[in-house]
Amino acid sequence: MNDALGMVEVIGYACAVSVADTMVKTAAVDIQGLQRAKGSGWLTIKVTGSVAAVEASVNAGKAQAQRDHLYVTSQVIPRLGTGLGPTFLPQPKPKPQPPVTPEPKTTSKVAPVSAAASAADSAATSVSASATSEAAAVSHASKPTTEPTPATHYTCNLCKDPACPRKKGEPRASCIHFNEVEAEQNKSSHKK
């Protein structure tokens, strides 16, 4: 590895993202990682590239962090030693290849079709396909979407009524059945 390694250490994740953005936009460098230190919220941004690009990007990152008053330290190593790359830089993980399954051999005998019959069939198919898609679009547009999707609809945890506009965590008074639920709770508490 003949690339240079540049590191800028800052305090806080937001500052680290801002500094990394500045470093990448300043010069042609590759971000190799964001490493957290133990305690104090320190993070180290590591970049690699040509020596000049890394120096320019580290200087720009340092200036950005100093403007935010969150700068700790920075370092540029012009040529990282041969054995140090795997120790300090993340290694790319090989992507698993999906297994290749052989396709079954099928043989079918199709009778030859004349060109005129083939053109007539394709024209009829395209007319029926466009009519079907237009009908589907009209029927889809005319259907009201009254049923909410289960992933986005939350019912009220007081009354369990799907028509209730209250969502879990909102004030109880926004429930449409609040008075009924409150009265029922008061009855059960007076019986004890």
Side-chain angles (χ1 to χ4, degrees):
M1 168 178 242
N2 291 332
D3 285 349
L5 171 66
M7 299 171 284
V8 177
E9 198 160 40
V10 296
I11 300 171
Y13 185 75
C15 181
V17 170
S18 174
V19 167
D21 180 55
T22 302
M23 292 172 75
V24 170
K25 288 179 180 177
T26 301
V29 294
D30 295 320
I31 293 184
Q32 295 300 318
L34 188 69
Q35 183 178 356
R36 287 193 288 176
K38 293 189 181 202
S40 303
W42 289 8
L43 293 119
T44 304
I45 303 110
K46 298 177 186 177
V47 295
T48 58
S50 69
V51 176
V54 168
E55 285 180 353
S57 108
V58 166
N59 288 336
K62 177 181 175 181
Q64 175 68 32
Q66 285 175 338
R67 278 192 297 271
D68 294 339
H69 303 290
L70 298 170
Y71 174 75
V72 177
T73 188
S74 62
Q75 184 70 42
V76 174
I77 301 173
R79 283 184 305 160
L80 195 58
T82 325
L84 296 178
T87 304
F88 292 107
L89 300 176
Q91 300 301 312
K93 295 179 182 176
K95 294 181 182 178
Q97 298 294 329
V100 178
T101 56
E103 294 184 22
K105 293 181 181 179
T106 58
T107 57
S108 62
K109 295 181 180 179
V110 179
V113 179
S114 68
S118 174
D121 284 345
S122 66
T125 303
S126 67
V127 168
S128 67
S130 65
T132 305
S133 65
E134 288 174 9
V138 169
S139 68
H140 188 54
S142 65
K143 288 184 183 178
T145 56
T146 56
E147 279 189 40
T149 59
T152 59
H153 182 69
Y154 299 99
T155 60
C156 175
N157 62 334
L158 295 176
C159 65
K160 308 284 193 253
D161 185 4
C164 182
R166 180 186 175 272
K167 294 182 178 123
K168 185 177 179 180
E170 291 181 353
R172 292 172 164 249
S174 63
C175 175
I176 58 176
H177 303 288
F178 176 69
N179 294 334
E180 299 164 14
V181 172
E182 190 73 22
E184 188 176 306
Q185 287 179 350
N186 286 339
K187 273 190 212 176
S188 64
S189 67
H190 290 305
K191 289 181 182 179
K192 291 182 181 177

